[in-house]
Amino acid sequence: MKKIILLLSTIPFLLIVFTQALHAGELRREVKPVRNVILMIPDGTSPSAVSLARWYQRYLNPERQRLAIDPYICGTVLTYSSDAPIGDSAPTTSCYMTGMPSNTGFVATYPVSSGKADLVPVDPSRAYMPLATVLEAAKIMRGKKTGLVVTCHFPHATPADCAAHSYSREEYGHIAMQMVHQNLDIVIGGGIDYLKPDLRSVLRQRGYGVFLDDMKGMRSYAGDKMWALYRPREMPYDLDRDTASIPSLEEMTRIAIAKLNRSEEGFFLMVEGSKVDWAAHANDPVGVATDLLAFDRACATALEFARQDGQTAVIIVSDHGNSGISIGKRGMAKSYDTATAYDLFEQLCRFRLTADGLAKRLAETPVDKVQELMREVCGFELKPEELRALYNSPDYEHSPIPLEERKQIRESMYSGSLSTFLASIYGLKTAIGFTSGGHTGEEVLLAAYHPEDTRPMGMYMNYELNDYLCQLFDLRGQLPALTDRIFAPHTDVFQGMKFTIVRGKGKTDESELPVLEVTKGSRKLRIAPFTNTVVLDKKVIELSSVIIYVDKTDTFYLPRELRLLLD
């Protein structure tokens, strides 16, 4: 397999430079570029969730009154979609990566205009086009090594925003293909089921160590390039984690940094505390606090490395708020200003599992052992009405009530999954409140370390944070040009040549994909989507970027330099 290094096109790019990017950083001081950038994202973390984690830690250990990130908190970020003030993870992290807010569900992809609802200027002619990311620019334009560390399944929204492109975050198959073909140096996280056998073969052929539910193998592997995945989908919450078989986010971060740092060129690493968001959606206060503390420990590892290295910047920022979580709520036994730390945090700190972890234990527990398990994990027994609610849960396999009868129950405590029911019990027993099970629109906390202390200070817009990230690699204003270079429409690239989209020729484990065939004289170029390889006659050529096909526009988006192969 032969690699070609794509040279910057001399064709003037036609992309509109985003209005926001023109103004981003106007009032900010210049940022000195660094060798390495570590972006740490606690997904779905509201400022009050940070406060909860801080109090949780302090209540258990009064000497530990601060988080690792506390000395580096320097501002806030207003994060939103292109047409909605409350953002979804896909378009919000996408904005950090590309500089352009986008629609709900869009992964590093230009938004569709929503007319008067648009919060930023949107060019309708560019809808659905892939947008180059900071990770791609770091790899292609600066020769940086790249890595992703997450606790969700690896093609989930936030990691996908760094290394893939789609108008649907749910297209896990297409996203996973792209992430494999991006030649990321390190990927550690969840999602074994999404790394299909053909994708595992691609990685092994390219010299990667591939470790599936193999912590020992991950720890002992001496190579530089590695994928290490755990569990079929997402990894468990940190509180529920089997420490003998599942690594902590802190360890995964440390391993990724150590391997990436072997490169003379430097690296870009994104670390996501993915499941803070999941716990907030579930209204599980102990899940929020403990997974956020696990993320803080990973931040401590990154910050310690950065301080010692002297060439690394660390940026810590959530992509959006979630759940309206609060310390204190209506109906407390004491008024808010007389409630003691014991009143507020004692029960919260007694839980030994998250609601999800307890649900898994209950699924294995016969009915006569339920109260014993509740005492062990929660420190209390279920009241008669709560026990009755458990029996009526459709998910509780050991219930003495027939399933068909349980399905007829419509009372709120009885509805939903077993973990949802248990989260409601957790909420009833603690002084932590929630206003929502969805995302919220408040600003999120921003923390950062820079060796020259040119940190982002004050309130940033989400697109301004992208500008800051670009400056760290001396890439300011260059993403639009890179987008035009590597994601040009095939109709532009092969104008004047004969090309055909052949349906159902590209096969994956999930579906049949179209293939673009271009001919000139006796030469034929075959281009499959979501990979970084093309076939010229019978020779396989590896590219430095992935090829995207968008069915909405029936267009392949690919490097302009591919035309040179046929000229």
Side-chain angles (χ1 to χ4, degrees):
M1 184 178 290
K2 178 182 177 183
K3 285 189 177 182
I4 63 172
I5 299 175
L6 301 179
L7 301 177
L8 183 61
S9 174
T10 58
I11 302 172
F13 69 87
L14 301 178
L15 300 182
I16 297 174
V17 177
F18 311 133
T19 301
Q20 309 96 294
L22 292 173
H23 299 290
E26 276 186 353
L27 302 178
R28 317 290 186 189
R29 52 184 172 164
E30 288 300 313
V31 176
K32 184 175 180 180
V34 293
R35 179 174 175 268
N36 310 311
V37 172
I38 304 175
L39 176 61
M40 312 281 297
I41 300 178
D43 196 285
T45 297
S46 300
S48 51
V50 178
S51 298
L52 179 64
R54 194 180 290 114
W55 275 112
Y56 183 98
Q57 175 179 272
R58 179 175 178 174
Y59 188 78
L60 289 174
N61 186 347
E63 301 301 315
R64 300 188 62 193
Q65 299 186 11
R66 296 183 185 277
L67 301 177
I69 66 171
D70 284 353
Y72 305 96
I73 294 174
C74 53
T76 62
V77 177
L78 186 62
T79 172
Y80 51 89
S81 300
S82 61
D83 55 0
I86 300 176
D88 158 51
S89 290
T92 52
T93 301
S94 177
C95 186
Y96 293 160
M97 288 292 101
T98 69
M100 183 66 182
S102 197
N103 303 128
T104 289
F106 279 39
V107 171
T109 295
Y110 197 87
V112 175
S113 176
S114 298
K116 292 182 178 180
D118 287 338
L119 297 172
V120 294
V122 176
D123 178 1
S125 70
R126 298 180 58 203
Y128 302 111
M129 292 179 64
L131 297 172
T133 70
V134 173
L135 181 147
E136 289 171 317
K139 176 169 64 84
I140 295 169
M141 301 179 72
R142 295 292 179 264
K144 304 290 183 181
K145 300 299 182 182
T146 55
L148 300 172
V149 172
V150 300
T151 53
C152 60
H153 38 293
F154 73 89
H156 205 253
T158 298
D161 277 323
C162 299
H165 309 270
S166 178
Y167 64 82
S168 173
R169 58 179 287 178
E170 304 298 331
E171 286 285 356
Y172 292 134
H174 297 169
I175 290 170
M177 287 178 66
Q178 295 177 59
M179 295 177 77
V180 166
H181 284 87
Q182 279 283 15
N183 285 333
L184 303 166
D185 294 278
I186 300 292
V187 175
I188 311 178
I192 292 173
D193 283 358
Y194 298 99
L195 193 68
K196 302 297 184 183
D198 58 324
L199 297 180
R200 299 176 195 179
S201 296
V202 169
L203 290 172
R204 291 187 174 110
Q205 289 168 9
R206 295 185 179 187
Y208 284 82
V210 179
F211 302 97
L212 308 178
D213 271 334
D214 183 3
M215 188 164 67
K216 182 178 179 180
M218 178 192 73
R219 287 173 170 172
S220 62
Y221 182 61
D224 294 341
K225 300 197 302 181
M226 179 178 74
W227 277 61
L229 302 179
Y230 297 86
R231 299 302 183 254
R233 288 176 54 86
E234 72 280 359
M235 296 174 72
Y237 289 104
D238 189 72
L239 188 62
D240 306 332
R241 179 172 59 89
D242 176 5
T243 58
S245 62
I246 302 290
S248 67
L249 186 60
E250 176 186 10
E251 180 180 7
M252 296 190 294
T253 300
R254 184 170 60 253
I255 289 173
I257 290 173
K259 290 187 179 297
L260 292 170
N261 194 46
R262 296 172 184 173
S263 165
E264 293 183 2
E265 295 84 2
F267 64 84
F268 174 86
L269 171 65
M270 192 284 291
V271 177
E272 183 191 28
S274 316
K275 295 193 66 175
V276 181
D277 178 74
W278 296 40
H281 277 300
N283 286 183
D284 180 349
V286 71
V288 170
T290 54
D291 254 56
L292 193 46
L293 288 174
F295 174 79
D296 187 63
R297 291 190 287 273
C299 289
T301 293
L303 289 164
E304 180 182 9
F305 167 79
R307 289 191 299 267
Q308 294 178 358
D309 178 65
Q311 303 179 77
T312 300
V314 180
I315 300 88
I316 304 160
V317 64
S318 181
D319 49 353
H320 54 76
N322 194 338
S323 77
I325 188 171
S326 64
I327 301 173
K329 64 179 183 181
R330 293 182 185 275
M332 291 169 53
K334 292 184 179 179
S335 67
Y336 65 89
D337 54 349
T338 61
T340 65
Y342 181 93
D343 298 325
L344 293 171
F345 307 117
E346 171 64 20
Q347 179 55 61
L348 180 70
C349 293
R350 284 185 180 181
F351 291 114
R352 296 293 173 260
L353 294 170
T354 69
D356 186 65
L358 179 54
K360 289 180 172 62
R361 287 283 301 276
L362 272 173
E364 304 166 353
T365 302
V367 66
D368 62 334
K369 300 292 185 181
V370 165
Q371 296 290 33
E372 180 181 333
L373 177 64
M374 294 301 297
R375 288 193 300 271
E376 173 194 341
V377 173
C378 305
F380 58 79
E381 293 187 354
L382 293 175
K383 296 178 180 178
E385 63 271 20
E386 294 166 347
L387 192 60
R388 187 168 61 252
L390 171 64
Y391 292 164
N392 279 291
S393 171
D395 286 355
Y396 183 46
E397 296 181 3
H398 302 287
S399 173
I401 302 174
L403 179 60
E404 288 305 314
E405 185 177 335
R406 282 180 274 153
K407 287 181 178 179
Q408 304 305 314
I409 301 294
R410 291 292 182 266
E411 296 180 51
S412 59
M413 186 177 283
Y414 301 157
S415 62
S417 67
L418 186 55
S419 60
T420 299
F421 159 71
L422 291 169
S424 70
I425 294 293
Y426 280 25
L428 288 172
K429 304 294 185 180
T430 67
I432 310 305
F434 298 89
T435 64
S436 169
H439 295 178
T440 48
E442 71 273 23
E443 296 166 35
V444 295
L445 288 181
L446 172 64
Y449 170 84
H450 189 288
E452 301 292 330
D453 204 30
T454 52
R455 295 186 294 164
M457 306 289 289
M459 196 284 285
Y460 269 59
M461 296 293 182
N462 48 6
Y463 58 83
E464 290 182 307
L465 193 63
N466 169 263
D467 182 71
Y468 180 81
L469 291 170
C470 287
Q471 288 187 74
L472 291 173
F473 281 148
D474 197 21
L475 291 167
R476 190 174 195 180
Q478 298 185 47
L479 291 187
L482 181 61
T483 293
D484 183 58
R485 169 188 160 190
I486 64 175
F487 295 128
H490 76 270
T491 50
D492 290 355
V493 174
F494 299 114
Q495 188 175 12
M497 295 183 179
K498 183 180 179 181
F499 53 80
T500 305
I501 296 178
V502 182
R503 312 293 171 180
K505 283 294 186 74
K507 294 182 181 297
T508 72
D509 286 350
E510 292 188 344
S511 62
E512 294 186 344
L513 299 171
V515 169
L516 178 66
E517 293 184 351
V518 187
T519 58
K520 185 178 181 181
S522 62
R523 311 207 72 186
K524 176 182 283 189
L525 183 64
R526 187 176 184 275
I527 302 170
F530 312 126
T531 73
N532 72 324
T533 58
V534 298
V535 180
L536 179 61
D537 300 326
K538 293 184 179 181
K539 181 170 64 176
V540 176
I541 298 173
E542 186 176 327
L543 312 177
S544 60
S545 58
V546 291
I547 295 160
I548 308 301
Y549 171 74
V550 179
D551 57 359
K552 295 282 189 181
T553 59
D554 197 24
T555 301
F556 281 75
Y557 297 93
L558 35 72
R560 290 189 178 277
E561 288 80 359
L562 284 180
R563 182 184 181 93
L564 301 177
L565 296 177
L566 294 168
D567 279 342

